[in-house]
Amino acid sequence: MSAYALGWSDADGRPDTGLGGKGVRPAIAMLAAEAVGGTAESGLPGAVAVELVHAFSLAHDDIIDHDERRRHRDALWKAYGVGPALVTGDALLALAVSRLVGFPEAMRYLSAALIELVNGQTADMAFENRPWRGARAVTIDEYTAMVAGKTGSLLGAAAATGACLGGAPELGERMWEVGRDLGVAFQIADDMLGIWGDPHVTGKPVYNDLRRDKKTIPVLAALAADHPAARTLSAMLSDGLSGEDAVRHAARLVEEAGGRAAAQALAERHVTAALAVLDECLPEATELRALCDSLANRIH
Amino acid sequence: MSAYALGWSDADGRPDTGLGGKGVRPAIAMLAAEAVGGTAESGLPGAVAVELVHAFSLAHDDIIDHDERRRHRDALWKAYGVGPALVTGDALLALAVSRLVGFPEAMRYLSAALIELVNGQTADMAFENRPWRGARAVTIDEYTAMVAGKTGSLLGAAAATGACLGGAPELGERMWEVGRDLGVAFQIADDMLGIWGDPHVTGKPVYNDLRRDKKTIPVLAALAADHPAARTLSAMLSDGLSGEDAVRHAARLVEEAGGRAAAQALAERHVTAALAVLDECLPEATELRALCDSLANRIH
């Protein structure tokens, strides 16, 4: 089941390849190790640990969100059942921790990321039950804090463990910041893909997150705008979007109210912040910088 | 939700006390720290970590096993839903890890216990789908290995982290053994309670594990006996126990075939092994020894 979760085999256990994720987190860990003067290999325990935690969080998230599909295949729980998927998630987490047992400085960041990851997941669940408008509506700041936990923390751990393992624990905190900012930008890009992404690329229907009534940054930013489209959108979402026409209309209103542009600008701000720290601490980290740039491209 | 899981509040969040577990694991950690010459307080991070891992495992186990009751109350998932209970379990685990971040030697044992815990849980799930008789039947050795992982590992971590934190990491391995043997004995005692335990004490109906078709040590030992009652029991279990009369009859057959006595003898062997290591390494650990003795009493 772990092999399936990691994209190494199909649901019958037959070896398969190319079904895993993009590997952004392990890439950051290894590039961070190199950037501080270590070898790529020195960052490997961190790279493995963060990828395992990522797989753990996807396995559990899909159970919680009742998501049946993941990376163009059945979600783990859909393929094996809730109980086995739950334990597999636990196993992936246990393996992640075991990977850094010999590296206490790196473990400190992995542990911090786990706490924030769970906090982010909890906030994400709580947001579902909050209204679209009024005093209890989710704010953009609350959303950003949630995303910093849910996605940023693990990219932070990737960068920080890489720095520790590469021989520069004194840069751990700064690299944690870099990773967190990248993570927030990364999640905002994901939020945009969740609405406007090409179904052939994302593996999910277009406007998927709108249809699922999900509170994502483009929508929250649109609702926060002082624009007639924002008011129409707010009324529509509060009533519930029924039918494909309503979903398409809502997506157009998000754009009209400036939600897409605002999300893009927010993502860019976080990438810029990450690059500024990199320029300051590690001006010669060209490959890590290139990875940040490719992320910046993803936003456009 | 964590407070509920730990027995500190009811499902509405009102503070409550006396609803937690017996606290055997944290007691072992603190007594082990004292036994090697440290203060009880020095063992506290280990005590907290193992109790949190225990709470994590109960939260997830009850989801997996569809157990609706725990300690005379609704199980966590029954009180809050599967998703929230799952994340709460993850949070308890994350907190456990964070507690030992500053103690790498102790962390090593916690991490080892997590791996074994998950292996034990996986084996336990796999046993459910195995037959009562024939070549694929679960053996007593397989069962003991499963229990060593599922229960023994965490008691092992309690004893070993206590020793490390108390200032004697060189005794970690031996104390791990002590805890594991105690854990196996403890689980076997639990298995006996699961069949013959007083419902007022266990919070579960008498013969509960027989009714649930659970493969526990008294039953496996009975089936392995060369006794007419074993053959009758085997046939009954393979057909499935239907009705209270059948359940009561099966419990009597387990006793007749010697399953209860064999389980008791096996538990005693593990307590004796734990005490032998204690006598060898820490002959003056009177309080830890007293805790082992109270466990031995539980078997009778």
Side-chain angles (χ1 to χ4, degrees):
Chain A
M1 292 183 285
S2 292
Y4 181 83
L6 293 164
W8 299 345
S9 73
D10 67 15
D12 297 318
R14 280 186 297 258
D16 209 332
T17 53
L19 300 172
K22 294 172 287 294
V24 171
R25 290 159 192 80
I28 291 177
M30 295 175 80
L31 291 176
E34 283 190 316
V36 301
T39 60
E41 285 75 12
S42 68
L44 202 51
V48 171
V50 293
E51 189 67 0
L52 288 169
V53 171
H54 183 50
F56 142 79
S57 75
L58 298 183
H60 283 190
D61 277 0
D62 286 345
I63 296 173
I64 294 161
D65 299 339
H66 305 283
D67 273 332
E68 300 192 351
R69 303 288 291 171
R70 164 77 58 191
R71 293 173 185 162
H72 306 273
R73 303 184 304 164
D74 279 344
L76 188 66
W77 69 269
K78 188 77 183 164
Y80 296 97
V82 168
L86 197 168
V87 176
T88 303
D90 292 344
L92 292 163
L93 180 52
L95 285 170
V97 171
S98 76
R99 210 58 204 82
L100 290 181
V101 150
F103 308 97
E105 280 157 338
M107 179 76 95
R108 191 174 291 276
Y109 290 104
L110 187 75
S111 173
L114 289 177
I115 301 273
E116 294 210 8
L117 189 63
V118 173
N119 280 337
Q121 173 65 43
T122 308
D124 198 18
M125 279 170 50
F127 288 177
E128 275 174 32
N129 302 317
R130 305 237 322 244
W132 281 105
R133 52 183 173 183
R136 287 190 58 246
V138 177
T139 67
I140 293 177
D141 282 352
E142 282 179 311
Y143 181 90
T144 308
M146 179 276 281
V147 159
K150 198 174 167 177
T151 307
S153 64
L154 201 49
L155 274 81
T161 57
C164 291
L165 296 164
E170 70 281 6
L171 286 176
E173 287 294 331
R174 303 308 304 275
M175 294 303 277
W176 168 267
E177 278 175 55
V178 169
R180 265 174 77 99
D181 274 317
L182 289 178
V184 172
F186 195 75
Q187 185 58 50
I188 294 172
D190 240 33
D191 277 4
M192 292 195 284
L193 288 171
I195 299 179
W196 297 286
D198 178 350
H200 295 292
V201 177
T202 63
K204 291 171 184 167
V206 70
Y207 309 137
N208 193 46
D209 281 352
L210 272 177
R211 201 172 287 114
R212 291 153 36 102
D213 215 37
K214 240 189 128 172
K215 293 180 183 74
T216 61
I217 203 78
V219 184
L220 296 177
L223 290 173
D226 182 21
H227 191 284
R231 288 181 281 281
T232 316
L233 180 67
S234 169
M236 281 182 72
L237 289 171
S238 295
D239 292 344
L241 302 179
S242 60
E244 282 308 291
D245 283 348
V247 169
R248 209 172 309 121
H249 185 199
R252 211 163 46 235
L253 290 170
V254 172
E255 291 216 59
E256 270 178 45
R260 188 174 189 165
Q264 198 167 314
L266 186 60
E268 274 165 10
R269 263 209 310 281
H270 283 278
V271 173
T272 305
L275 289 174
V277 176
L278 264 193
D279 286 343
E280 183 199 328
C281 301
L282 296 166
E284 293 176 23
T286 49
E287 291 195 68
L288 194 53
R289 209 178 200 295
L291 190 138
C292 298
D293 288 338
S294 80
L295 177 64
N297 289 334
R298 194 161 179 257
I299 298 166
H300 297 279
Chain B
M1 292 184 286
S2 292
Y4 182 84
L6 293 164
W8 299 346
S9 72
D10 67 15
D12 297 318
R14 280 188 297 259
D16 210 334
T17 53
L19 301 170
K22 293 173 288 294
V24 171
R25 292 159 190 81
I28 291 177
M30 295 175 79
L31 291 177
E34 284 191 314
V36 301
T39 61
E41 286 74 14
S42 68
L44 202 51
V48 172
V50 293
E51 189 66 1
L52 288 169
V53 171
H54 182 49
F56 142 80
S57 76
L58 297 182
H60 282 190
D61 277 1
D62 286 344
I63 297 174
I64 294 162
D65 299 339
H66 305 284
D67 272 333
E68 301 193 352
R69 303 288 291 169
R70 163 76 58 190
R71 294 173 185 160
H72 307 273
R73 303 185 302 163
D74 279 343
L76 188 67
W77 69 269
K78 188 76 183 165
Y80 296 98
V82 168
L86 197 167
V87 176
T88 303
D90 293 344
L92 293 164
L93 180 52
L95 285 170
V97 171
S98 76
R99 209 59 205 81
L100 291 181
V101 150
F103 308 97
E105 280 158 335
M107 179 75 96
R108 191 174 292 275
Y109 290 104
L110 186 76
S111 172
L114 289 176
I115 301 273
E116 294 209 10
L117 189 64
V118 173
N119 280 338
Q121 173 65 43
T122 308
D124 198 19
M125 280 170 51
F127 288 177
E128 275 175 31
N129 302 316
R130 303 235 325 243
W132 282 106
R133 52 184 174 184
R136 287 188 60 245
V138 177
T139 66
I140 293 178
D141 282 353
E142 283 180 309
Y143 181 89
T144 308
M146 180 277 279
V147 160
K150 198 174 165 175
T151 306
S153 65
L154 201 49
L155 273 80
T161 57
C164 291
L165 295 164
E170 71 281 6
L171 287 177
E173 287 294 332
R174 302 308 302 279
M175 293 303 278
W176 168 267
E177 278 175 55
V178 169
R180 265 173 77 99
D181 274 316
L182 289 179
V184 173
F186 195 74
Q187 185 59 51
I188 294 172
D190 239 34
D191 278 5
M192 292 195 285
L193 287 172
I195 299 179
W196 296 285
D198 178 350
H200 295 292
V201 177
T202 64
K204 290 170 185 168
V206 70
Y207 309 137
N208 193 45
D209 282 352
L210 271 177
R211 201 172 287 112
R212 290 152 39 102
D213 214 36
K214 243 191 126 172
K215 294 181 183 73
T216 60
I217 204 77
V219 184
L220 296 178
L223 290 173
D226 183 22
H227 190 284
R231 288 181 282 281
T232 314
L233 180 66
S234 170
M236 279 182 73
L237 290 170
S238 295
D239 292 345
L241 301 179
S242 59
E244 282 308 290
D245 283 348
V247 168
R248 208 171 312 122
H249 186 199
R252 211 164 44 233
L253 290 171
V254 171
E255 291 216 58
E256 270 178 46
R260 188 174 188 165
Q264 199 168 314
L266 186 60
E268 273 166 12
R269 264 210 308 283
H270 283 279
V271 173
T272 305
L275 289 174
V277 176
L278 265 192
D279 285 342
E280 182 198 329
C281 301
L282 295 166
E284 296 178 21
T286 48
E287 292 195 67
L288 195 53
R289 209 176 199 295
L291 191 137
C292 297
D293 288 337
S294 80
L295 178 63
N297 289 335
R298 194 160 180 258
I299 297 167
H300 297 280

